[in-house]
Amino acid sequence: MSDAILDKDLVIVRVAELYYEEGKTQDEIGALLGLSRFKVGRLLTEARTAGIVRIEIVHPRARRLGLERELRERYDLSEAVVVPASSDSADDLKRVARAAADQLTTLRPVPDTIAVSWGRTLTAVAAELKEGWARSVKVVQMNGGVSVNRRPGSASSLATTIARKASGQAVLLPSPAILDRLETKLAIESDRTVAGVLAQASEADVYLFTAGVCDYNSAHVENGYLNHEDVDELARRGAVGDVLGRYIDADGNIVDPELDARTVGISLNRLREATSSVFVTVGENKHDIARTVVSSGMCSTVITDEMTARALLEEL
Amino acid sequence: MSDAILDKDLVIVRVAELYYEEGKTQDEIGALLGLSRFKVGRLLTEARTAGIVRIEIVHPRARRLGLERELRERYDLSEAVVVPASSDSADDLKRVARAAADQLTTLRPVPDTIAVSWGRTLTAVAAELKEGWARSVKVVQMNGGVSVNRRPGSASSLATTIARKASGQAVLLPSPAILDRLETKLAIESDRTVAGVLAQASEADVYLFTAGVCDYNSAHVENGYLNHEDVDELARRGAVGDVLGRYIDADGNIVDPELDARTVGISLNRLREATSSVFVTVGENKHDIARTVVSSGMCSTVITDEMTARALLEEL
DNA sequence: CACTCAGTTGCTCATATGAGCAAAAGTTGG
DNA sequence: CCAACTTTTGCTCATATGAGCAACTGAGTG
């Protein structure tokens, strides 16, 4: 092949095939093709760099470590977990939930208390956790509203499920998410029971939360806390979504202070100050609020799908 | 992770990710995960074996070396070339043609004379050959019919194209593929010009041919040598297709000796006796005739697409 | 509880490969 | 045609990895 008219690409392809498919050594390939083993090595490196050789990890537990590192660096996070895109995007919620379950299971030191929010995403995480994922963790609800749960068959809330699977204790927040009048909210937050739960939430070792989208499909609308006019008004004020029931704009600022004052739960600053605040998010409709959360310091760990990760890494 | 509830698959995936995506050594991975480097090595081997790590050669020039070896062994071939399936199967003809062109270019010793048949497959091969693919090769037509070419714009036959690109000489066979009467055929084959060309074809170093399917789309029907009744009769007699215009059954036997006697060109036994007979075939409609060619010793080299190769390797 | 057998582990030593460097080869401009 | 610069090559030496083996561990049986 030394004086044949074959171009370089063909040589690279042959070398890659002999090495990866035939299992031949670089020495053997060099002898076969009349090249030095050093040249063969360089061609293999070029084949990998140019994408002619593609090495892919194919497994439900696989991650995208390169994207994870980029996310950590871009947003100064202590941890990022990215689940590869799959051919069945309906599967993404389950796979991100499983990755979140894996991450919780490997938290070190094992937390005494975890504060959790609620929503479909965290419900999936609770479902993916294995029995005995930890030993005796107290799971505290950190924002209101879980009692207004209309889904039939969901007898135990996600906080209860997470706690049960760790042979731990669930501490539920017996309060609506949003009160009609400020006075009522202040009264409830002063009540010893509610105040005690909020205090335990504020002292948690780990915060686990997701975010909501500011649209008509919102759990707040579904559960009667907001109506369509409310949502329109919030969107008009620039809300991209809610964290712990608190509606924020792209910069992470509360868009409606009056509404916020009537909302029950710990403050967003508590997430910013926390040593370990874990944010789980899936889906294109949440890209805007996801960007806000990671860029305004509300989380130390993000767990998400590949499409969301790529969106977060795009220049705006 | 030594006492975590994570299962083995998760460990394998993490190890594979750290090695192939992060470029860490087995030593480094072992230190990170609390495993020996020997254990890490075994997990990587298992990841490759189990298909969790997939290494693929992605390039228009790529081949399927494993299938090639299986074909060589199954059919006692000296060479087999298999082109990977692509997402655009319309592209297969071009890619197989390119692989055939590559193969011709690397023939050693460089042949003095090549005998060729005709058809769309070889036309594509001629198109894929580079200028100067060889130096001064004589290309001889070994079966009749090329002159009855109705395709507009195809000013030079494939034999002429192959010869020109090698700065060589084309020797065309000035004869119809099939004669109406046996006497006419005998007369033409005795003519000094035609007899000389057939003699040169019989003495070629390399034979390059494809096969035709026994159906209404056949080039013989298109060119008026056969009509639909003829095709029906051939099929009734068990014909799976034609090689050099000669219709054969699954065992490689001539199905209509009378028709065969009126057909102009070298015999199929000459292909069987040749040192180097190269068979190029693409497409599912040719699987049956392809199987006949490779299993009845008509070729020493087969060049085909992945689907055909897999069909040829299937047990019947 | 002890024995046997199968599977797994960590090791030594040999082999395979890569990094960095000096020399050689190729290209470009005057 | 020659000089200067860039690119490529082959090498030495260090590192990374695998094969084969002995020892260890776990499971099953009497």
Side-chain angles (χ1 to χ4, degrees):
Chain A
M1 186 174 306
S2 49
D3 64 341
I5 304 177
L6 300 176
D7 54 354
K8 188 182 181 193
D9 267 20
L10 193 55
V11 176
I12 291 184
V13 169
R14 293 296 161 261
V15 161
E17 286 166 342
L18 289 166
Y19 189 76
Y20 286 107
E21 292 185 23
E22 297 297 283
K24 291 186 183 300
T25 68
Q26 295 176 14
D27 258 332
E28 287 171 339
I29 296 170
L32 273 171
L33 303 186
L35 306 167
S36 73
R37 80 161 176 87
F38 311 103
K39 177 67 173 177
V40 171
R42 290 192 172 93
L43 291 170
L44 285 170
T45 300
E46 186 169 347
R48 289 189 295 267
T49 303
I52 292 173
V53 168
R54 288 186 192 170
I55 304 181
E56 194 175 10
I57 316 295
V58 184
H59 190 277
R61 296 314 245 284
R63 285 165 41 177
R64 286 285 178 264
L65 300 185
L67 291 176
E68 292 182 2
R69 181 173 49 254
E70 287 186 62
L71 279 175
R72 289 199 302 274
E73 289 165 3
R74 172 74 64 91
Y75 294 105
D76 198 25
L77 301 167
S78 59
E79 189 65 37
V81 175
V82 178
V83 170
S86 115
S87 53
D88 179 12
S89 60
D91 190 49
D92 279 354
L93 174 58
K94 186 178 169 69
R95 291 165 74 238
V96 170
R98 172 172 285 173
D102 287 342
Q103 192 67 14
L104 286 178
T105 304
T106 59
L107 281 174
R108 290 299 178 271
V110 181
D112 288 325
T113 305
I114 298 182
V116 301
S117 70
W118 51 274
R120 285 180 289 265
T121 304
L122 292 203
T123 299
V125 175
E128 288 301 322
L129 277 169
K130 288 186 192 318
E131 300 283 344
W133 68 273
R135 201 177 303 121
S136 190
V137 169
K138 185 198 289 184
V139 183
V140 182
Q141 193 187 334
M142 61 178 161
N143 59 315
V146 69
S147 304
V148 191
N149 193 329
R150 296 176 178 173
R151 292 188 67 198
S154 184
S156 51
S157 71
L158 67 93
T160 306
T161 302
I162 296 174
R164 178 177 59 73
K165 288 183 171 181
S167 305
Q169 174 195 6
V171 179
L172 303 183
L173 186 64
S175 167
I178 307 174
L179 280 299
D180 286 336
R181 297 195 295 117
L182 177 57
E183 292 86 353
T184 317
K185 180 258 184 180
L186 292 175
I188 283 203
E189 270 196 345
S190 300
D191 182 82
R192 257 183 307 141
T193 308
V194 171
V197 174
L198 287 173
Q200 290 182 75
S202 289
E203 289 159 12
D205 304 306
V206 172
Y207 293 82
L208 177 68
F209 67 103
T210 185
V213 179
C214 185
D215 66 15
Y216 296 171
N217 291 320
S218 161
H220 287 119
V221 174
E222 177 180 329
N223 289 305
Y225 293 114
L226 300 176
N227 60 30
H228 288 192
E229 287 75 26
D230 293 322
V231 171
D232 289 341
E233 173 63 16
L234 287 165
R236 194 186 64 75
R237 291 174 184 242
V240 293
D242 78 279
V243 174
L244 308 189
R246 300 182 188 281
Y247 285 86
I248 54 179
D249 62 14
D251 295 320
N253 300 316
I254 301 293
V255 297
D256 184 340
E258 195 275 331
L259 173 69
D260 194 71
R262 296 189 278 110
T263 301
V264 179
I266 65 167
S267 79
L268 298 184
N269 275 341
R270 188 66 196 90
L271 294 179
R272 292 186 175 103
E273 293 155 7
T275 301
S276 179
S277 47
V278 180
F279 173 47
V280 188
T281 183
V282 189
E284 186 174 351
N285 57 331
K286 291 184 181 176
H287 284 185
D288 287 342
I289 184 63
R291 183 187 309 280
T292 296
V293 171
V294 297
S295 58
S296 62
M298 262 174 241
C299 68
S300 60
T301 296
V302 63
I303 304 176
T304 191
D305 60 282
E306 179 171 355
M307 301 309 298
T308 301
R310 291 190 186 284
L312 294 178
L313 291 166
E314 270 172 17
E315 289 306 310
L316 287 181
Chain B
M1 183 175 304
S2 47
D3 66 339
I5 304 176
L6 300 176
D7 53 353
K8 188 183 180 191
D9 268 20
L10 192 56
V11 176
I12 290 183
V13 168
R14 292 293 161 264
V15 162
E17 286 166 343
L18 290 164
Y19 189 76
Y20 286 107
E21 292 185 20
E22 297 296 285
K24 292 186 182 302
T25 67
Q26 295 176 12
D27 259 332
E28 289 170 337
I29 295 171
L32 273 171
L33 303 184
L35 306 166
S36 75
R37 79 159 177 86
F38 312 104
K39 176 69 176 177
V40 171
R42 289 189 172 98
L43 292 171
L44 284 171
T45 300
E46 187 169 345
R48 289 188 293 270
T49 302
I52 292 173
V53 168
R54 290 187 192 168
I55 304 181
E56 195 174 9
I57 317 295
V58 184
H59 192 276
R61 298 312 245 285
R63 285 159 48 170
R64 285 285 179 264
L65 301 184
L67 290 177
E68 293 180 2
R69 182 174 49 254
E70 287 187 62
L71 278 175
R72 290 200 300 275
E73 288 166 2
R74 174 74 68 88
Y75 294 105
D76 198 26
L77 301 167
S78 57
E79 189 65 40
V81 175
V82 177
V83 170
S86 114
S87 53
D88 181 10
S89 62
D91 190 51
D92 279 353
L93 174 57
K94 185 178 170 68
R95 293 166 71 242
V96 169
R98 172 174 284 175
D102 287 342
Q103 192 69 13
L104 287 176
T105 307
T106 58
L107 282 172
R108 291 296 180 272
V110 181
D112 290 324
T113 305
I114 298 184
V116 299
S117 70
W118 52 272
R120 286 179 287 264
T121 304
L122 291 203
T123 299
V125 174
E128 289 299 323
L129 277 169
K130 290 186 192 312
E131 301 284 343
W133 69 272
R135 201 177 306 122
S136 190
V137 170
K138 183 197 291 183
V139 182
V140 182
Q141 194 186 332
M142 61 178 159
N143 58 317
V146 69
S147 305
V148 189
N149 193 327
R150 295 177 179 172
R151 293 187 66 197
S154 183
S156 51
S157 73
L158 68 93
T160 306
T161 302
I162 296 175
R164 179 179 58 73
K165 288 186 171 180
S167 305
Q169 173 196 8
V171 180
L172 303 184
L173 187 65
S175 166
I178 306 174
L179 280 300
D180 286 339
R181 297 196 294 116
L182 177 58
E183 292 85 352
T184 318
K185 181 258 182 178
L186 293 174
I188 282 203
E189 273 198 339
S190 299
D191 181 83
R192 258 185 306 146
T193 308
V194 170
V197 174
L198 288 173
Q200 291 182 74
S202 291
E203 291 158 15
D205 304 308
V206 172
Y207 293 81
L208 177 67
F209 66 104
T210 184
V213 179
C214 185
D215 66 15
Y216 296 169
N217 292 323
S218 162
H220 286 117
V221 173
E222 178 181 330
N223 289 307
Y225 293 112
L226 300 176
N227 61 31
H228 288 195
E229 287 75 26
D230 294 323
V231 171
D232 288 344
E233 173 63 14
L234 287 166
R236 193 184 65 76
R237 292 174 185 242
V240 293
D242 77 283
V243 175
L244 308 190
R246 300 182 187 282
Y247 287 86
I248 54 181
D249 63 13
D251 294 321
N253 300 316
I254 300 292
V255 296
D256 185 340
E258 196 274 331
L259 173 69
D260 194 72
R262 296 189 277 109
T263 300
V264 179
I266 65 169
S267 79
L268 298 185
N269 275 341
R270 188 62 198 94
L271 294 180
R272 292 186 175 100
E273 295 155 5
T275 302
S276 179
S277 47
V278 179
F279 174 46
V280 187
T281 184
V282 188
E284 186 172 352
N285 58 332
K286 293 184 182 176
H287 285 186
D288 287 341
I289 184 65
R291 184 186 309 281
T292 297
V293 171
V294 297
S295 60
S296 61
M298 262 175 241
C299 67
S300 59
T301 296
V302 64
I303 304 176
T304 190
D305 61 281
E306 180 171 353
M307 300 309 297
T308 300
R310 291 190 186 282
L312 294 177
L313 292 167
E314 269 173 18
E315 290 305 310
L316 287 180

